[in-house]
Amino acid sequence: MAKSPLSLHLTFMFSLSMSAAYSFSSLSSPLSPLKPFSTSSSPSKTPKATTSDLLTLLSDRRSSSTLNPFVSRELNSCLKFLVPFTPNGIKMVPISCSHRKSLNSNRNGVLARREEDELIWWPPQSVLDLARLAFDSRGDSAAIHRVLDPTVIPVPDVEGSNEDRCQLTRTPYGFRFISEELNLYLKFLFELIVARAPAVGLNASLNRYDFFHGHIFLARDSGRLGILFHAKEYPAFDKKVFPYNMGYCQKGSNVSYDNSMNLRNILWLAPLPSDSTGDTWAAPGVLVVLDARPGGIIYRDIIPDYVKFVRTIYEDDFGEVVADVNYLDVGDVKPNYQLFIC
């Protein structure tokens, strides 16, 4: 995979998502039902699921019908939707932005649940434009980099991270999109996930130990724009439950290592453009928690053996990685969440 100019400037982030594989590849979890994984292979007759299968399942019905029925059924059993999934059950034309409430209104609780759903199915025009750009580029991350504002934004101290010598982001600086509407939409995604995830068993908090980042990617086969979010990033060290030292960023964590780790991967997909000419769409947007419980097909087939104990799905398994999106509390006295694309 060719590296973009932005990717070449990204430095290694010592985090659960990236470092666990190198530090603890020979270890397994002592917690039940977060049990040690087995290295025994599945029966040869059993079809194996891939991230491409997952993306196909979350596209239009015509495409998803081509999947192996066993794989389709097993993947469906591991999907916990935060917004109803209706691949062809709603009108395939985005709602006019003029008929929507401002994204800012969500912070005051003004948006109704249906309006929030519609912002996932059919995001604002700037997001649709980005999805179309990603699709037309067929996986060229440079196309997305070109719509970033070139202004360099230093990442300040985040909840005492400097004192702990913890760098949460890949680089000590970040960027934002030129379109402020795009930036607001990314913030909306973080806040919507926190608000709705408890309904499926995931209690995520916006802080530097738990939920603060996602990985923007362009799907390998289709160019579809997506973000793989990771919650439960730095579980607290515990000699019995989580005896793994994850470095400076883990210091002070109160994130429990429990069954909710199965739900730490959250996937957002932008609406899927159609191959037809004109502004047509094959499928609406998606927001779903991926259940990586032991015994499930995601745990068995998609999560690598060496990180099964932390249930990490890697963003580059989906396609070309564009950048990380971080939503960090940089306030001193009261919370002040800011966006940093690194």
Side-chain angles (χ1 to χ4, degrees), residues 24-31 34-37 241 243-244 257 309:
F24 316 117
S25 61
S26 63
L27 299 177
S28 57
S29 164
L31 181 66
L34 296 187
K35 55 193 176 184
F37 61 86
V241 176
Y244 309 126
Y257 181 77
F309 68 103

Side-chain angles (χ1 to χ4, degrees), residues 129 215 235:
D129 290 343
H215 309 277

Side-chain angles (χ1 to χ4, degrees), residues 257-303:
Y257 181 77
D258 54 26
N259 289 339
S260 65
M261 289 294 292
N262 294 331
L263 307 175
R264 69 178 299 256
N265 301 281
I266 306 112
L267 182 64
W268 171 79
L269 296 173
L272 176 63
S274 170
D275 283 320
S276 304
T277 57
D279 190 21
T280 57
W281 302 82
V286 177
L287 186 61
V288 60
V289 172
L290 308 177
D291 187 353
R293 66 184 183 277
I297 197 169
I298 289 178
Y299 177 89
R300 187 184 72 235
D301 293 350
I302 294 178
I303 295 182

